[in-house]
Amino acid sequence: MTKNANSLDQRTFNKLSRLYVIALSTIALSVIISQFLVRNHLETQKSDSTVINIAGRQRMLSQKLTKEIVSLSVSSNEKARLLFKNKIKKTLYLWELSHNSLQKGNDSLGLPKQNSTEVKNKFKVINPVFKTIQKASKSIVKKLDKNALIPIENLAPEINEVTNNEGSFLLIMDEIVNQYDLEADEKVVWLRKLEFFLMGFTLLILLVELLFIFWPTAKSVKATLTELLIAEKKAKKMAFDADLLSIAKEKSMKELKTLSHAMDETLLFARISPKGNLIHMGNKFSRLFKLSKFTKEVLFWNVLSSNNNEQIALELLIDKNKKTGWQGEVKATTKAGKDIWLEMSIIPYRPTEDKLELLIIGSEITDRKAAQLEIERLTKASFEEKMSQQKIISSKIIENQEKEQNRIAKDVHDGIGQMLTGLKYNLESINTKDIEKTNSKIEHLKELTANIIKGVRTATFNLTPPELSDHGIVPAINKLTQELGRLTGKEIVLYNKTDFNQRLDSLVEINIYRITQEAINNAIKYANSSHILVSLSHSKNILSINIDDDGKGFEPSKVKKVKNGDGGMGMTFMKERIKYIDGRLFLNSELGKGTRVTLNIPI
């Protein structure tokens, strides 16, 4: 019965989860649509102020033109006439340009190409007046070009044409300016109505979700609490049963101690912490490695070997397999310098729920291993076959890594529910009676939605890019440098010295991309660099890639000794990948002088 109830609760939970996702997706979609509509409308209003300003300036230009033409009447010398002629030509040119641009549009002035029907009709009325003033002004300029000292009587008809039509032009231009201003106000009113509509629509969605999602959820929680009370009664009964089990446990502990003593005497047996500290070592193990007493600070790999390289190898082996377990052969060296080979198993187990230990069980295979090494030394063909198999295994590992990263990408996308929960709580906090705060909340929700989208893009960026499979290694690295530069704010530049654009084997391209990505990420995370240069060059047989940074640098000789952290493991992965594609990797760095990573790949 309990199993059926749990199954029913799980189905209810899954159904509610789907409803939550649908509800939150609807809210997110409404916010995105409202953002699109508002921004689209604002885009249409962007040029309104410019249009009104230039239309208003036309009135000033017409008055200025008239004033300059009338001023000719009081100018008697040639120098003054020429000065006024140049002013008239300049004002006339600006007046004509603005008048035509208001009707036909002008990108440099920021004027749109479309006007309303009312504005077009008013321009049809004003155009004859404009052309009359324009024609008279050009005639005056033309006569002055021929004779700067022409009698004013010869210019009187054109001057009269300008002064007689200037008033009409100003009146109609005032109407056009007023019409532009009226249309701008109408757009603002329409935008205000749109925002109120979107706000009402969002609140309606919230009301529907309250009635059909959140209220049923509250009922479900109440039912769950009832089941918990029932479970409490069952727990009391289980406590009584636990007392009976305690007696059986004491008996089992005695048996376990007896078994432990037998293991100490017959097997190479030890217990260590996940960090490698020795907790217990069996008698046979202690006799083999001459260990009589030890403290909790003694590390297991220091007991098994006095050789520094072997200690590091054992440390990495235990750290890598402390959660999954491991079985295989390891080499040890006693204090007397004798080489010993062990067939060893690492078994993780929990003596208590909150404590993890590792069981080490081994057997000595020194003689067998010596014979095996001698056979391998004498059998070259067998050695080559083993290396070929290792290469196939490495290839499979890399292919599986790429598949796993693609799976992680899907999980990241499916995992945005937690971020959307924050969006839900913000929506729940909206007070429908306070319109001012509601508008502020809606703006905050828009920003929060944009941050969610940005977070998903950032989380999925480091996965395999489509540029790599579609276009090749150079476009993929170019996209990598651009995106990392944008996301981190650092200056990351790609320089293709020899314009390399060849396509390589897909696995070769994947490994080149991953090594370059790791090198750039190391420069970003650990080097504190501000400038990173990725340069490519190639010859007939070699592709060379350099990753230079201006960071704090380090001592390369110490990288292999790093016990924890991405730096040491990242360098190990880079070396494994470059080895797989038959390339070479060089690392040069000095403290305070930056770092250079060089890749040479045969093509």
Side-chain angles (χ1 to χ4, degrees):
M1 181 176 179
T2 303
K3 183 177 181 181
N4 293 335
N6 291 337
S7 177
L8 180 61
D9 289 342
Q10 184 64 36
R11 289 197 298 271
T12 303
F13 175 79
N14 292 337
K15 182 179 179 181
L16 289 173
S17 298
R18 288 193 294 270
L19 290 175
Y20 268 116
V21 172
I22 293 173
L24 295 174
S25 299
T26 303
I27 294 173
L29 182 61
S30 69
V31 172
I32 294 172
I33 292 174
S34 65
Q35 180 76 358
F36 173 79
L37 292 175
V38 171
R39 288 187 177 276
N40 186 59
H41 186 75
L42 290 175
E43 186 68 23
T44 62
Q45 287 185 277
K46 186 167 63 174
S47 60
D48 286 350
S49 60
T50 304
V51 171
I52 295 173
N53 181 50
I54 292 179
R57 190 181 66 178
Q58 278 297 88
R59 297 178 298 184
M60 179 275 293
L61 289 174
S62 66
Q63 291 175 327
K64 182 180 179 185
L65 181 64
T66 303
K67 180 180 178 182
E68 290 169 350
I69 290 174
V70 172
S71 298
L72 290 171
S73 303
V74 296
S75 300
S76 57
N77 60 73
E78 182 179 1
K79 184 177 180 181
R81 287 281 185 93
L82 291 175
L83 179 63
F84 277 113
K85 181 196 74 170
N86 292 332
K87 289 183 178 181
I88 293 170
K89 288 174 70 176
K90 184 177 180 180
T91 303
L92 180 60
Y93 168 78
L94 185 58
W95 186 57
E96 290 173 336
L97 175 64
S98 300
H99 189 81
N100 293 328
S101 298
L102 284 170
Q103 299 179 73
K104 300 178 181 179
N106 188 306
D107 292 337
S108 63
L109 295 178
L111 297 175
K113 296 181 180 180
Q114 298 295 331
N115 284 317
S116 65
T117 303
E118 291 79 3
V119 172
K120 289 180 179 179
N121 291 334
K122 292 182 184 298
F123 269 112
K124 287 180 181 180
V125 176
I126 200 173
N127 278 338
V129 179
F130 170 82
K131 290 179 179 179
T132 300
I133 298 175
Q134 181 189 39
K135 182 178 179 181
S137 300
K138 286 184 176 181
S139 177
I140 291 172
V141 172
K142 185 176 181 180
K143 289 180 179 181
L144 289 173
D145 284 337
K146 292 181 179 180
N147 183 11
L149 295 176
I150 186 174
I152 197 62
E153 292 79 11
N154 295 342
L155 299 176
E158 286 83 0
I159 294 175
N160 291 335
E161 284 287 336
V162 172
T163 55
N164 292 337
N165 286 277
E166 190 224 349
S168 300
F169 180 88
L170 289 175
L171 290 174
I172 302 173
M173 202 66 220
D174 279 338
E175 295 178 4
I176 292 174
V177 173
N178 292 335
Q179 183 63 32
Y180 277 133
D181 187 64
L182 177 63
E183 291 175 2
D185 290 340
E186 289 175 351
K187 290 179 181 179
V188 174
V189 172
W190 188 89
L191 178 60
R192 188 178 297 113
K193 292 179 179 179
L194 174 64
E195 290 180 338
F196 275 108
F197 170 78
L198 293 173
M199 179 185 69
F201 179 74
T202 302
L203 293 177
L204 178 61
I205 292 176
L206 289 173
L207 179 61
V208 172
E209 291 175 358
L210 176 65
L211 295 176
F212 295 99
I213 296 179
F214 302 131
W215 180 250
T217 302
K219 290 184 177 179
S220 177
V221 171
K222 183 178 180 181
T224 303
L225 290 175
T226 302
E227 292 180 2
L228 289 174
L229 293 174
I230 297 173
E232 183 182 4
K233 295 179 180 179
K234 294 180 180 180
K236 292 180 179 179
K237 183 178 181 300
M238 292 175 64
F240 175 77
D241 295 337
D243 291 336
L244 298 177
L245 291 174
S246 178
I247 298 174
K249 179 181 177 182
E250 291 180 2
K251 181 179 179 181
S252 298
M253 288 296 294
K254 293 180 180 179
E255 295 175 352
L256 183 60
K257 289 180 179 179
T258 303
L259 177 60
S260 178
H261 178 73
M263 291 177 65
D264 284 349
E265 294 296 331
T266 58
L267 295 175
L268 299 178
F269 172 75
R271 289 165 46 220
I272 65 174
S273 70
K275 294 183 178 180
N277 298 102
L278 191 59
I279 299 174
H280 170 78
M281 178 172 277
N283 295 334
K284 188 174 182 179
F285 225 148
S286 299
R287 289 193 295 268
L288 181 62
F289 290 94
K290 309 297 182 183
L291 183 68
S292 57
K293 296 181 180 180
F294 65 90
T295 62
K296 292 184 178 180
E297 287 75 22
V298 174
L299 295 173
F300 179 70
W301 42 83
N302 291 339
V303 175
L304 257 62
S305 179
S306 57
N307 183 287
N308 186 56
N309 291 333
E310 291 177 0
Q311 291 174 353
I312 294 174
L314 285 168
E315 178 184 1
L316 292 175
L317 177 66
I318 292 173
D319 183 69
K320 181 179 179 181
N321 300 284
K322 61 186 178 183
K323 293 183 179 179
T324 59
W326 178 82
Q327 182 176 1
E329 298 175 353
V330 297
K331 183 177 180 294
T333 305
T334 64
K335 295 179 180 178
K338 180 182 177 181
D339 291 340
I340 295 178
W341 282 90
L342 302 176
E343 186 172 12
M344 191 173 74
S345 297
I346 302 174
I347 305 171
Y349 87 105
R350 292 185 178 275
T352 61
E353 290 183 358
D354 58 346
K355 185 179 180 181
L356 176 66
E357 290 184 2
L358 301 177
L359 294 180
I360 307 295
I361 301 176
S363 59
E364 184 180 358
I365 57 169
T366 304
D367 295 336
R368 187 182 76 187
K369 188 65 179 178
Q372 178 184 347
L373 292 175
E374 181 66 13
I375 292 172
E376 289 177 354
R377 185 180 67 83
L378 297 174
T379 312
K380 183 178 180 181
S382 174
F383 174 78
E384 292 176 349
E385 181 181 358
K386 183 177 179 181
M387 292 300 295
S388 177
Q389 291 175 352
Q390 182 64 37
K391 191 169 183 179
I392 293 173
I393 293 172
S394 298
S395 174
K396 292 297 182 182
I397 290 173
I398 292 173
E399 289 178 2
N400 289 336
Q401 285 177 343
E402 294 302 319
K403 291 179 182 179
E404 180 65 11
Q405 288 177 341
N406 288 331
R407 183 189 69 77
I408 292 173
K410 182 178 181 299
D411 291 343
V412 170
H413 280 291
D414 294 340
I416 62 172
Q418 292 182 353
M419 290 187 287
L420 290 175
T421 300
L423 182 63
K424 175 179 79 70
Y425 288 138
N426 277 275
L427 288 170
E428 289 176 346
S429 66
I430 292 178
N431 182 4
T432 57
K433 296 180 180 180
D434 192 338
I435 296 177
E436 182 177 355
K437 289 186 177 180
T438 299
N439 288 334
S440 176
K441 283 284 185 180
I442 290 175
E443 291 300 322
H444 176 65
L445 291 174
K446 294 176 183 178
E447 180 181 356
L448 184 56
T449 304
N451 288 336
I452 292 173
I453 295 171
K454 181 179 178 182
V456 172
R457 288 176 178 171
T458 302
T460 59
F461 172 69
N462 278 330
L463 303 171
T464 303
E467 288 83 4
L468 187 60
S469 56
D470 295 342
H471 306 294
I473 187 62
V474 176
I477 293 178
N478 185 47
K479 181 65 177 296
L480 174 69
T481 56
Q482 291 177 357
E483 289 297 319
L484 286 178
R486 182 178 63 81
L487 293 173
T488 63
K490 298 182 182 294
E491 184 175 353
I492 306 176
V493 179
L494 172 65
Y495 178 32
N496 191 347
K497 296 180 180 179
T498 56
D499 294 327
F500 177 77
N501 60 359
Q502 299 179 28
R503 290 304 303 268
L504 306 176
D505 181 79
S506 60
L507 284 178
V508 173
E509 290 185 337
I510 288 172
N511 280 282
I512 293 174
Y513 181 83
R514 291 300 180 206
I515 296 171
T516 305
Q517 183 184 41
E518 181 69 23
I520 296 175
N521 282 333
N522 285 343
I524 292 172
K525 291 188 290 185
Y526 306 117
N528 293 333
S529 59
S530 58
H531 295 77
I532 302 172
L533 173 64
V534 182
S535 56
L536 285 81
S537 61
H538 76 288
S539 61
K540 182 178 180 180
N541 300 318
I542 296 292
L543 169 64
S544 181
I545 302 176
N546 291 320
I547 301 96
D548 295 279
D549 68 69
D550 62 347
K552 61 184 181 181
F554 62 97
E555 296 183 30
S557 60
K558 294 186 178 180
V559 172
K560 63 181 180 180
K561 298 181 180 179
V562 176
K563 298 181 180 179
N564 297 306
D566 296 336
M569 295 306 297
M571 183 57 63
T572 300
F573 293 148
M574 290 166 67
K575 290 181 178 179
E576 287 297 320
R577 287 184 180 273
I578 198 69
K579 180 179 178 182
Y580 172 71
I581 60 177
D582 296 327
R584 299 186 68 186
L585 183 145
F586 303 95
L587 180 64
N588 295 296
S589 182
E590 291 185 37
L591 289 176
K593 296 184 179 181
T595 301
R596 163 172 282 195
V597 178
T598 301
L599 314 177
N600 289 334
I601 305 100
I603 56 177

